[in-house]
Amino acid sequence: MNRPQASPAPGAGQPPARGARHWAQMDEVGFIFGMRLLYRLHRALGRLPFQLALYPVVFVYWLSARSAREASLAYIERLRASGVEPGRWASLRHFVAFAECILDKLMVWNGGLDPARCIVEGAELCAEAFRARRGGLIVTAHLGNFEASRALASSYHDARKIHVLVHTRHAARFNRLMAELNPDSQLNLIQVTELDPAMAMFLAERVADGDFIVMTGDRVPVTQDAGVLEAPFLGKAAPFPIGPWVLAAVLGVPVFLMWPTAEGKGFRVRFERFRDRIVLPRRNREAALQPLVQEFAARLEAETRRTPLQWFNFFDFWARPVRVIHDSQA
């Protein structure tokens, strides 16, 4: 079966409700031109000259990108209010960490990933499912460097068996740059604005063949009317998508969590088993979804506290730009 092409979601190009700007409308890699130059500098002269040039570029972007800067500052305040002290100039260092993450994304797909620099924990959980050809769903977040884990997985397993659901049209320039460096960086990226029946059938065929689906669980859906649930995150309720857990129930596969973060001069990728299978009742489905969302939010918060400047959501994460399902509606 050919891979279905995602069509524009209803309302995806319209301003979100309540005046909050949806993450998909934001150009979170607006300084890609500067990163291209810095990448070339790194290739020619090494990491130290790159880091010396990085701060002026990021500082200018930090000053000019008002909405991203305000979101970062608000996030830093949420950290402090919940007992995490990220230190001085935390917001600027947050941007620097994001810029270094982008460089690492470029490097890992251009032969710059040394498996010896990566510590992988819990890989045997997924390896067991690979060997058994069970397939599975891996849920991750915008924490650390997902590209490192994807490139690493490609070196250990058949890359054709790993499919990543993304919505990256808002980052088209960065994706083009990635494709220029290594066409394999785009391998099995599936653009999704909504999980329609054609997409669900395609994914079901993939997991039936023992493949793995990867998606994030910390950004609300692109469609205006898609369901989300609120869960506590850093001391305040935030909207989380129900899509990963609904998809897991539809596919009937085991679910794993993955946390890929930079550590020292390398990376640490941690896998956790989340559920052997998710079963949702026909009635009161939201009530069954709520503990799943809350558990994921709690795990994400624990990982974010461990590496606070590696959580890269430069928008008002706690705003509700789409309809939120409350417990009272379940």
Side-chain angles (χ1 to χ4, degrees):
M1 178 178 178
N2 294 328
R3 177 181 301 172
Q5 298 297 316
S7 57
Q14 303 172 5
R18 306 195 182 196
R21 199 176 181 196
H22 197 290
W23 63 265
Q25 295 175 301
M26 303 184 70
D27 184 9
E28 69 177 8
V29 287
F31 62 160
I32 193 63
F33 178 73
M35 287 306 303
R36 184 190 293 267
L37 294 179
L38 289 171
Y39 171 76
R40 290 174 178 170
L41 176 65
H42 182 278
R43 293 285 294 175
L45 301 177
R47 189 94 184 186
L48 181 58
F50 161 80
Q51 289 178 322
L52 292 176
L54 177 65
Y55 281 87
V57 172
V58 173
F59 183 64
V60 170
Y61 182 73
W62 184 79
L63 289 175
S64 61
R66 178 181 175 182
S67 60
R69 182 182 69 250
E70 290 178 347
S72 175
L73 289 168
Y75 166 63
I76 298 301
E77 287 307 308
R78 286 248 52 86
L79 285 172
R80 291 190 172 118
S82 61
V84 179
E85 179 47 63
R88 300 181 62 184
W89 293 96
S91 179
L92 181 59
R93 290 190 292 112
H94 191 199
F95 275 63
V96 169
F98 180 56
E100 290 181 327
C101 178
I102 288 181
L103 174 72
D104 288 333
K105 287 173 184 283
L106 301 177
M107 293 299 295
V108 297
W109 286 113
N110 200 33
L113 179 64
D114 180 2
R117 294 173 53 209
C118 298
I119 299 173
V120 182
E121 300 176 358
E124 67 280 357
L125 299 175
C126 294
E128 178 185 343
F130 265 111
R131 289 192 296 268
R133 297 180 63 85
R134 294 181 61 197
L137 176 67
I138 298 175
V139 183
T140 185
H142 292 82
L143 179 77
N145 190 340
F146 172 61
E147 296 299 328
S149 61
R150 196 158 66 94
L152 186 65
S154 297
S155 67
Y156 283 101
H157 301 287
D158 184 349
R160 294 170 299 178
K161 307 294 285 183
I162 303 171
H163 308 268
V164 184
L165 305 188
V166 296
H167 179 79
T168 55
R169 290 194 177 96
H170 68 299
R173 284 174 292 172
F174 179 69
N175 291 327
R176 285 198 298 269
L177 178 57
M178 292 278 286
E180 288 173 17
L181 296 174
N182 187 341
D184 285 345
S185 69
Q186 306 299 299
L187 186 63
N188 286 355
L189 288 182
I190 305 175
Q191 287 279 1
V192 176
T193 54
E194 59 182 338
L195 288 171
D196 55 24
M199 179 61 68
M201 184 178 299
F202 170 77
L203 297 178
E205 290 179 353
R206 299 282 64 77
V207 298
D209 196 37
D211 293 9
F212 269 65
I213 310 300
V214 184
M215 64 188 303
T216 59
D218 64 338
R219 286 190 179 175
V220 297
V222 175
T223 52
Q224 290 283 70
D225 58 350
V228 299
L229 284 165
E230 287 189 331
F233 182 69
L234 294 174
K236 185 178 180 181
F240 286 86
I242 63 174
W245 325 118
V246 173
L247 178 61
V250 170
L251 299 179
V253 293
V255 184
F256 307 89
L257 304 183
M258 179 178 66
W259 313 109
T261 54
E263 187 170 293
K265 295 183 179 181
F267 304 97
R268 181 181 296 272
V269 182
R270 298 173 55 241
F271 290 94
E272 301 176 5
R273 185 181 295 276
F274 187 72
R275 293 289 190 278
D276 286 330
R277 187 171 183 179
I278 292 176
V279 178
L280 298 177
R282 291 182 178 273
R283 300 182 62 183
N284 298 323
R285 187 180 66 159
E286 287 79 12
L289 286 164
Q290 185 68 51
L292 299 173
V293 172
Q294 289 188 200
E295 185 175 342
F296 176 79
R299 290 297 307 121
L300 175 60
E301 177 172 331
E303 294 300 318
T304 301
R305 286 175 173 273
R306 193 173 66 85
T307 56
L309 298 185
Q310 292 190 49
W311 188 63
F312 303 127
N313 278 315
F314 293 95
F315 60 93
D316 187 353
F317 186 79
W318 288 265
R320 295 180 293 175
V322 295
R323 179 178 61 89
V324 174
I325 302 172
H326 295 280
D327 289 336
S328 60
Q329 294 178 281

